[in-house]
């Protein structure tokens, strides 16, 4: 009576086979070959697309630091699953990102975003949410500076700009800025970049908070023909205008709406009409 033996590889990350199938179905490697990723300085270096792929896999495995990429490196089953001859160490991934300068980053980022959103063919009109946030930094982080920090007063921080596609809950753009940057700083260039990322998608509505209530922003959106909802800064002149406004109607108990025309004293706008909400 014979005995049959077989070799079976086991990994805690077997579910990543679905990630591999998704990347293959999207043509990730074929598209990545045309992104112009920075090449290694040595013939013995790893292919940049493998390093990007390995970085993505590391994040899906829960990595939040570069050194956590070693988890993927030591898992021979994952290495075989993704067809890598051998997995790179985390320092190789760090060297790849160190070869990016600002221009290379924007160019590659635009290529990746346009490829990605081009794959979502069912989404033709999008709602774009623009926001900024404060990220507190410890130690000597490049570009960190002291600025408005509501949670850690006086600490260095970054103040990035972000854009999201509401329907897909996906990031459409991300710019890192020093902590002392104003919310609307470089916003026009950021919006142009974001529209380029979206490719042929139509922005049906843009939403932003009062940090982006600025004449140049509103004029930009008017020129582009993009409908928008931007919260207005509740200055004293605006409060007086709201107090004397009429035609309020109740949307629901405790929430009333009206529409009025308001021209800021110092920065006149091009006859804008705003809808304001008042909660009682």
């Amino acid at each position: 009576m014979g005995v049959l033996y077989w070799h079976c590889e086991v990994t805690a990350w077997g579910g990543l086979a679905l990630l591999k199938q998704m990347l293959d179905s999207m043509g990730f490697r074929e598209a990545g070959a045309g992104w112009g990723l920075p090449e290694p300085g040595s013939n013995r270096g790893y292919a940049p697309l493998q390093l990007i792929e390995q970085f993505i896999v590391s994040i899906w495995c829960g990595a939040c630091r570069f050194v956590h990429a070693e988890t993927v490196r030591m898992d021979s089953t994952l290495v075989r699953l993704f067809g890598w001859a051998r997995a790179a160490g985390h320092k190789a991934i760090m060297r790849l990102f160190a070869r990016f300068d600002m221009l290379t980053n924007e160019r590659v980022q635009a290529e990746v975003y346009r490829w990605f959103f081009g794959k979502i063919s069912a989404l033709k009109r999008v709602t774009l949410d623009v926001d900024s946030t404060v990220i507190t930094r410890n130690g000597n982080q490049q570009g960190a500076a002291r600025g408005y920090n509501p949670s850690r007063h006086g600490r260095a921080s970054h103040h990035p700009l972000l854009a999201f596609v509401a329907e897909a809950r996906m990031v459409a753009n991300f710019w890192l800025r020093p902590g002392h940057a104003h919310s609307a700083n470089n916003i026009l260039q950021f919006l142009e970049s974001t529209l380029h990322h979206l490719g042929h998608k139509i922005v049906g509505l843009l939403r932003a908070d009062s940090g982006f209530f600025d004449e140049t922003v509103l004029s930009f959106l008017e020129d582009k023909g993009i409908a928008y909802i931007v919260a207005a800064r509740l200055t004293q002149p605006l409060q007086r205008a709201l107090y004397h406004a009429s035609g309020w109607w109740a949307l629901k108990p405790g929430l009333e709406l009206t529409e009025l025309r308001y021209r800021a004293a110092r920065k006149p706008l091009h006859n804008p009409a705003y809808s304001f909400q008042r909660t009682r």
Side-chain angles (χ1 to χ4, degrees), residues 253-266:
L255 183 62
E256 298 181 6
L257 304 177
T258 191
E259 181 176 298
L260 58 87
R261 291 187 179 274
Y262 169 75
R263 183 183 294 273
R266 294 185 179 180

Side-chain angles (χ1 to χ4, degrees), residues 20-189:
K20 178 66 164 62
Q21 292 175 14
M22 182 187 72
L23 293 176
D24 289 344
S25 66
M26 295 176 67
F28 175 80
R29 291 183 177 178
E30 293 78 6
W35 291 342
L37 297 171
E39 294 293 334
S42 169
N43 293 331
R44 299 178 59 187
Y46 292 90
L49 190 57
Q50 177 192 324
L51 297 177
I52 295 294
E53 196 173 65
Q54 191 175 332
F55 184 64
I56 294 173
V57 173
S58 300
I59 293 174
W60 275 63
C61 287
C64 57
R65 298 178 182 274
F66 281 113
V67 71
H68 295 167
E70 296 297 318
T71 301
V72 175
R73 181 188 185 192
M74 303 304 295
D75 195 314
S76 60
T77 304
L78 282 180
V79 174
R80 289 189 58 194
L81 175 64
F82 283 87
W84 305 322
R86 57 192 177 95
H90 71 280
K91 290 187 177 180
I93 300 176
M94 294 176 65
R95 287 194 294 270
L96 169 67
F97 287 119
R99 290 194 288 271
F100 278 81
D101 55 25
M102 187 165 57
L103 293 178
T104 303
N105 180 71
E106 178 60 25
R107 175 180 54 78
V108 174
Q109 187 184 51
E111 292 284 346
V112 175
Y113 272 119
R114 287 175 67 86
W115 165 77
F116 175 77
F117 284 111
K119 291 294 181 180
I120 313 177
S121 58
L123 192 62
K124 301 186 183 302
R125 296 180 66 89
V126 301
T127 301
L128 194 65
D129 292 328
V130 179
D131 202 357
S132 63
T133 188
V134 175
I135 303 175
T136 302
R137 298 301 191 187
N138 298 311
N140 297 319
Q141 298 287 336
Q142 184 178 8
R146 292 182 179 181
Y148 173 71
N149 192 331
S151 60
R152 305 285 294 277
H153 299 290
R155 295 296 297 272
S157 62
H158 282 114
H159 190 187
L161 274 172
L162 306 98
F164 305 90
V165 173
E167 291 81 0
R169 297 184 179 181
M170 295 298 300
V171 177
N173 206 354
F174 182 100
W175 279 14
L176 198 61
R177 305 176 303 173
H180 54 59
H182 184 268
S183 293
N185 189 39
N186 291 330
I187 183 61
L188 298 187
Q189 296 87 340

Side-chain angles (χ1 to χ4, degrees), residues 237-255:
L238 181 53
Q239 292 180 48
R240 287 195 294 269
L242 289 170
Y243 179 79
H244 294 291
S246 59
W248 292 91
W249 57 279
L251 180 65
K252 63 180 182 179
L255 183 62

